[in-house]
Amino acid sequence: MVRAVDVVFEKLPPELDEIPERDTVFDATLTIQAFVMNAFGCLDNLAWIWVCEKAVLNAEGKELESLRVGLGPKSKEVRASFSKEFLAYLEKRQGWIDKHLKGFRDSLAHGIPLYIPPFIVTPETVDKYNELEKASGDAIQKRDFELYDKLQAEQRVLGIWRPWMTHSVTEKSPRAVFHPQLLQDYVTIDEFAREMLAEMERQKI
């Protein structure tokens, strides 16, 4: 996760103003996708560590099924083994898990993978952008590749770079400015691990 943060900041530094190359954006996108999956996986790993160290079992005294292992409210046997202090911490962070991390991870794994828009167009220039888009399509149909390249260059000038990550710009998908979000997510995962260590100490594990 640390390496992922380093790569994103190297590829797309926060001070960047101009629209970056597509391959650079793709590299950063793949890295952010890996970061999100690893962040989600870290929480699962913490749950598994707890279940193994605490020897949490189901009502029949058997090992928990894999789908029952987690830190969320649905993992009742696991949650029942935690202290009030740790449960209070989980409740405090549940919104971050549900509304942010789980939203990004679930869409990444089962829906539209999160991505970095190559650029945005302001309301003031969107009509001109659409005109150039139509003209570009016409140029392609006529196999006028020189004109197509010229129109695409004009179109690109209208774009503005923004360091955002989202799943879809047309749906009500979660979105975030990725530089501060990656840092905050890393710090939060680190916090989860420290709280888990404190819970182990609390329960003498």
Side-chain angles (χ1 to χ4, degrees), residues 1-203:
M1 290 175 68
V2 171
R3 180 57 187 153
V5 172
D6 288 343
V7 168
V8 172
F9 274 68
E10 289 167 8
K11 295 283 185 180
L12 301 173
E15 64 272 15
L16 182 67
D17 286 326
E18 68 273 11
I19 297 175
E21 294 296 324
R22 289 189 67 183
D23 284 349
T24 302
V25 175
F26 289 156
D27 289 345
T29 298
L30 291 170
T31 304
I32 291 175
Q33 290 175 355
F35 178 93
V36 170
M37 293 302 288
N38 276 276
F40 193 85
C42 281
L43 297 185
D44 269 356
N45 287 341
L46 287 174
W48 276 105
I49 290 170
W50 177 261
V51 166
C52 292
E53 295 295 325
K54 178 75 173 177
V56 180
L57 304 173
N58 63 21
E60 288 76 37
K62 297 180 180 179
E63 292 184 0
L64 296 178
E65 296 179 8
S66 60
L67 293 178
R68 304 293 296 176
V69 178
L71 299 179
K74 293 182 180 179
S75 301
K76 298 186 183 301
E77 294 92 346
V78 180
R79 298 272 288 207
S81 68
F82 291 141
S83 67
K84 292 180 179 179
E85 292 86 351
F86 193 65
L87 284 174
Y89 170 74
L90 292 179
E91 289 299 323
K92 183 176 72 172
R93 286 299 184 202
Q94 198 61 49
W96 173 80
I97 296 174
D98 293 340
K99 296 177 183 178
H100 171 65
L101 186 61
K102 192 172 187 297
F104 274 112
R105 180 268 176 191
D106 286 357
S107 188
L108 176 58
H110 308 297
I112 302 172
L114 68 88
Y115 79 110
I116 301 170
F119 55 84
I120 66 165
V121 180
T122 66
E124 293 76 19
T125 59
V126 68
D127 289 340
K128 180 63 176 177
Y129 182 89
N130 289 335
E131 289 176 13
L132 291 168
E133 182 69 16
K134 183 179 183 306
S136 295
D138 293 341
I140 281 290
Q141 286 185 342
K142 296 175 182 177
R143 298 182 180 275
D144 190 340
F145 301 116
E146 184 177 345
L147 176 59
Y148 174 80
D149 289 340
K150 177 177 177 294
L151 293 169
Q152 287 287 292
E154 290 180 32
Q155 213 179 21
R156 190 176 177 84
V157 171
L158 298 176
I160 299 173
W161 164 247
R162 290 291 183 269
W164 296 343
M165 62 180 186
T166 187
H167 297 293
S168 171
V169 294
T170 59
E171 300 177 7
K172 294 182 179 178
S173 303
R175 60 187 63 186
V177 179
F178 56 76
H179 294 106
Q181 192 63 62
L182 292 178
L183 295 174
Q184 185 58 54
D185 289 348
Y186 175 80
V187 169
T188 304
I189 292 296
D190 181 73
E191 182 185 88
F192 264 93
R194 293 176 187 276
E195 290 291 336
M196 178 65 78
L197 288 173
E199 177 70 355
M200 288 183 165
E201 177 65 25
R202 192 180 293 117
Q203 297 202 29

